[in-house]
Amino acid sequence: MKSHYRAVVIGGGVVGASVLYHLAKMGWKDVCLIERNILTAGSSWHAAGGFHALNADPNIASLQAYTIDLLSEIEKESGQSVGMHMTGGMTLAGTPDRWEWLQSAYRTFQSIGIEDVHLITPKEAQEKCPIMSTHGILGGMWADREGYVDTTGTVHAYAGAAKKHGAEIVEHSRVLELNQTATGWEVVTEKGTIQTEHVVNAAGLWAKQVGRMAGIELPVSPLNHHYLISDTIPELEQLDFEIPLTVDLEGFTYIRQDQKGMLMGIYEVDHQHWMMDGAPWEYGFELQQEDTDRIERELTLGFERYPALQNVGVKTWVNGAFTFSPDGNPLVGPVRGKKGYWCACAVMAGFLQGGGVGKSLAEWMIHGEPEADVFGMDVARYGDYAQNKRFIKETTGQFYTRRFVMTYPNEQLPAGRPLKMAPAYSDMSAAGCRWGASWGLEVPLYFAPDAGFTENPTLKRSNAHEIVAAECKAVREAVGLLDISGFSRFEVSGPGAEKWLDRIMASKLPAPGRARLAPMLSEEGRLKGDLTVFNWGDGTWWIMGSYYLREWHMRWFEAHMDAGVTLRDIGDATVGFSLSGPNSRKVIEQLTDGPVGELPFMGCGSFDIGLYRCKVGRLSVTGELGYEIHCSAADHIGLRKALLEAGAAHGIREVGFNALLSLRLEKSFGIWSKEFTQGYTAGQTGMDRWIDWNKDFVGKTAALAERDGNGPAQKLVTLEIAAQDADASGFEPVWKDGKRVGFVTSGGFGHTLGKSLAMAMVDQDRCAPGTDLSVHVVGIECKARVIAASPYDPEGKAMRG
């Protein structure tokens, strides 16, 4: 062990070994992995080792596909067998909704280029797994590239390949302290102290403690997970092939063959946390006693699905812990305020996702940005609110319990809620508001006129459809009031503020008293934000964006900070409402004697609104005349009452974000995480129309190369879809004469136009309005047509009027 390394990886499981391998292979030879015991001494040694294609986040599904491809590569590089069993895999559906979801998921895989997947009948499933009962099964999805590996062999293959690329591994050396220095980190271990520029927390069950060594409280917790290995099954002995990896979603079980027996794992509803503050340091190859009473229901379902298990004994029980994040996805990336500290933890499916995590993190550390859009596993998708132990316990437990439970896109889950609430939350709830959650904050979805109304979970249009339609009608014909506490707000000031903003924003900056839409790019020319910049005219600026990107954006801002700039996140202290609709000016003018009616489109200023001093911007995401009114949190309740009273004579109606999503589709307005992501460029998304090419800004070189080259392969278009009772939501494939030419970014019903609409990334030669296409919506192919952008009020007269 040397005293200096460029990077130190803490943790010798599959994820740590993968990170080490990728760093070394990509060119950082001076790297070291530190393991407190020996490689695999944590969750890795007792993992079931399965790998499969399915993931709710298509970007993570793509990284899983990369991991599967990588396994044979590291086997060759290292000379260490990974024990690959490419058996193929099945995911089974036993309810009509689940079967529809599986058909929809199949189309999602087509969108992201995973072609070795197809739907199968119960009879075909039975042929592939003869020991299975297909009672109650409606269908399944088959994937060629699923199976399992030898977990210990795989970790050693990653490690062996890493060493061949120049990396070093030190076992039996626990990390005792982490101390931040001017040049990086001091890593104090049992075998000595190391100076390093970068530290990677890949500590698995010990990730909590390794985070706390750096003053970081990571939202992770271990939970116990059972699987059993049966004695030899005579029916398997008679087969001349290996049965596939099989997931029975309604039965909460997954199975694979283990020699001539079977491994069956269970995601039980009655979950059990273990050592929430981190595993004991001396723990490593131990297991917890099996708890068959707690898993009795799921165990019974498993034995019914696989009757052969009823006739043989259980050879081995495994009840071991894995770490989970609140949403089950990994925590990867740099931690704000801790330069050189990187996370690669909460990877509960390490043998499935470890390769992708290692690749993405190594790219991030070496090149400054991962190739793929990895926000779904970025540690910055959580904020300080997620440090709370009860929040962690509720949400990680909820994820575990619902691992195989059907979750609907319109379903609101209860764990860790309500957490953050706008001041008028109680009054809005009394008015019928139904809530969603964004980064811990309750945000309004719609207002149910009937106190007893309950929305039915569905993959299709829900029974709230007409409620949202009425809210859209109010905005288009009168005036809608929307709580906009769920937007981020950053205040920028200081002598260097304007120069800094001009550098990090690709657009022109607004003049005093004006606002402007502002794309923000990475050095590689990919989007880092679809923001709005306000120039209040007094030396103070605001940046507004998506609430759930607050930590992510703050990390980016701080990493690109200049001297003489003061940046404050005011997203909790400042809240507000938007008024939008043809009567919105009438409402706001009733409450002020200031010249608010003279504000031009995209103008902004400070005004007295009733009793409250507010900052007002004349803009709207609905495509109507509108105002965003920002106030202090203390004024939120009173401001709402004043606006409702002033609007009573003008048809005012409170609305939620479900209506806003419908209205913005009719204007072809994109939103972050759908049309705009860090995986797309300004040219792809049309955001390049806001770029000021006459100035220097972050990402200009890459953006110019795209502009002056052949342009992007795909562009964003608006589609009209002949859907009947469901709407596209995202990642559905777009077809032209049987060839996949794009995918949906988001969709919904345009209530004003009475049409199902979507926005989609489509090949350049299929973007012309009038082009006939087709789209799969909840698994059903529907006719579609490219239409001109902004099908509602294309000239923008209402918005500017």
Side-chain angles (χ1 to χ4, degrees), residues 394-463:
E394 287 187 16
T395 52
T396 55
Q398 177 178 263
F399 172 81
Y400 186 99
T401 290
R402 299 185 64 88
R403 181 82 169 91
F404 287 168
V405 173
M406 180 79 181
T407 298
Y408 296 87
N410 69 322
E411 190 173 8
Q412 295 297 318
L413 302 180
R417 296 178 60 196
L419 179 58
K420 294 189 286 184
M421 293 162 280
Y425 173 85
S426 295
D427 289 351
M428 293 168 68
S429 295
C433 188
R434 300 296 189 267
W435 300 93
S438 173
W439 214 62
L441 177 71
E442 297 296 311
V443 294
L445 299 179
Y446 58 87
F447 287 76
D450 179 1
F453 175 82
T454 300
E455 184 174 4
N456 298 329
T458 179
L459 295 171
K460 300 180 178 180
R461 294 174 192 155
S462 83
N463 55 330

Side-chain angles (χ1 to χ4, degrees), residues 151-167:
T151 57
T152 298
T154 300
V155 174
H156 282 278
Y158 275 117
K163 286 192 284 188
K164 286 190 174 182
H165 285 291

Side-chain angles (χ1 to χ4, degrees), residues 334 364 368-375 378 380 488 490 504-506 518-531 543-546 549-550 552-557 559-560 672-673 676-682 685 687 698-699:
W364 214 334
E369 187 173 45
E371 180 184 22
D373 175 10
V374 296
F375 182 77
D378 193 328
S488 69
F490 301 94
I504 67 164
M505 300 297 173
M520 186 167 65
L521 307 181
S522 71
E523 285 83 352
E524 288 76 17
R526 294 191 288 173
L527 293 175
K528 279 292 179 181
D530 63 321
L531 303 161
I543 304 170
M544 284 188 65
S546 300
L549 296 178
R550 282 171 61 183
W552 191 73
H553 273 146
M554 186 62 93
R555 184 179 68 190
W556 178 260
F557 294 150
H560 294 78
W672 193 266
S673 82
F676 310 133
T677 78
Q678 61 182 331
Y680 304 148
T681 66
T685 57
M687 290 293 281
V698 175

Side-chain angles (χ1 to χ4, degrees), residues 58-59 107-113 373 673-677 679-680 684-685 713-719 721 728-736 739-747 758-763 766 773-776:
N59 294 301
R107 299 300 178 181
T108 297
F109 284 115
Q110 289 184 315
S111 285
I112 61 177
D373 175 10
S673 82
K674 300 293 187 179
E675 285 69 46
F676 310 133
T677 78
Y680 304 148
Q684 277 181 281
T685 57
Q714 294 185 321
K715 286 197 170 185
L716 198 61
V717 300
T718 303
L719 302 178
I721 304 176
S729 58
F731 286 104
E732 294 90 348
V734 178
W735 306 93
K736 177 63 177 178
K739 178 186 175 185
R740 192 178 71 251
V741 297
F743 61 93
V744 170
T745 53
S746 68
M759 298 182 75
M761 284 288 179
V762 174
D763 292 352
R766 304 295 184 186
L773 303 167
S774 65
V775 175
H776 277 90

Side-chain angles (χ1 to χ4, degrees), residues 115 196 230 241 270 338 513 594 754 778 799:
E115 302 287 0
T196 184
S230 76
F241 62 91
D270 183 14
K338 303 290 180 179
V778 193
M799 191 164 54

Side-chain angles (χ1 to χ4, degrees), residues 616-654:
V616 178
R618 216 205 101 182
L619 64 160
S620 161
V621 185
T622 65
E624 299 293 338
L625 172 67
Y627 298 86
E628 291 184 353
I629 309 168
H630 309 274
C631 65
S632 73
D635 297 340
H636 192 246
I637 295 172
L639 179 62
R640 172 181 172 271
K641 290 179 178 178
L643 291 168
L644 287 173
E645 289 171 2
H650 302 289
I652 197 168
R653 178 171 182 150
E654 288 191 275

Side-chain angles (χ1 to χ4, degrees), residues 108-375:
T108 297
F109 284 115
Q110 289 184 315
S111 285
I112 61 177
I114 298 177
E115 302 287 0
D116 55 347
V117 175
H118 62 271
L119 299 173
I120 58 175
T121 65
K123 181 181 178 182
E124 290 171 320
Q126 176 85 71
E127 291 170 351
K128 292 178 182 298
C129 185
I131 66 168
M132 176 179 69
S133 165
T134 58
H135 176 73
I137 297 299
L138 300 179
M141 185 169 67
W142 173 265
D144 291 339
R145 295 188 320 125
E146 295 196 355
Y148 65 96
V149 293
D150 168 45
T151 57
T152 298
T154 300
V155 174
H156 282 278
Y158 275 117
K163 286 192 284 188
K164 286 190 174 182
H165 285 291
E168 186 177 345
I169 294 174
V170 178
E171 296 178 301
H172 300 293
S173 183
R174 178 162 72 89
V175 173
L176 305 173
E177 295 178 32
L178 291 175
N179 301 304
Q180 194 166 11
T181 67
T183 57
W185 292 86
E186 179 184 72
V187 184
V188 181
T189 79
E190 291 175 328
K191 291 186 177 180
T193 298
I194 299 168
Q195 302 295 327
T196 184
E197 185 180 347
H198 300 276
V199 167
V200 178
N201 180 352
L205 294 173
W206 297 268
K208 181 74 79 173
Q209 295 102 306
V210 174
R212 286 174 174 168
M213 287 179 186
I216 302 163
E217 193 69 27
L218 292 170
V220 299
S221 177
L223 284 96
N224 281 330
H225 177 65
H226 282 89
Y227 67 79
L228 63 85
I229 299 175
S230 76
D231 288 329
T232 296
I233 297 175
E235 293 90 335
L236 288 182
E237 287 186 300
Q238 297 170 12
L239 297 178
D240 59 358
F241 62 91
E242 193 170 9
I243 62 172
L245 180 74
T246 303
V247 176
D248 178 15
L249 296 168
E250 269 64 59
F252 306 93
T253 61
Y254 61 88
I255 65 103
R256 67 165 174 84
Q257 193 161 328
D258 188 277
Q259 299 181 38
K260 292 299 179 179
M262 223 170 87
L263 181 152
M264 183 172 75
I266 295 169
Y267 278 97
E268 67 276 14
V269 173
D270 183 14
H271 61 264
Q272 184 180 68
H273 286 83
W274 179 81
M275 297 291 175
M276 285 193 66
D277 291 314
W281 290 113
E282 64 276 8
Y283 181 84
F285 290 101
E286 299 82 5
L287 293 169
Q288 283 68 260
Q289 181 69 37
E290 67 269 18
D291 186 357
T292 53
D293 289 343
R294 185 165 57 83
I295 63 173
E296 180 181 6
R297 172 175 171 266
E298 294 83 3
L299 201 59
T300 300
L301 291 172
F303 275 61
E304 291 173 350
R305 179 63 65 206
Y306 307 99
L309 283 173
Q310 299 173 24
N311 303 317
V312 298
V314 174
K315 180 169 62 177
T316 305
W317 277 103
V318 172
N319 182 19
F322 296 88
T323 51
F324 292 79
S325 71
D327 63 5
N329 282 334
L331 299 174
V332 179
V335 176
R336 182 168 73 89
K338 303 290 180 179
K339 186 178 180 181
Y341 188 101
W342 303 81
C343 286
C345 46
V347 190
M348 64 98 179
F351 291 90
L352 172 61
Q353 298 175 342
V357 167
K359 173 182 182 289
S360 297
L361 188 63
E363 290 168 344
W364 214 334
M365 295 172 70
I366 295 171
H367 304 301
E369 187 173 45
E371 180 184 22
D373 175 10
V374 296
F375 182 77

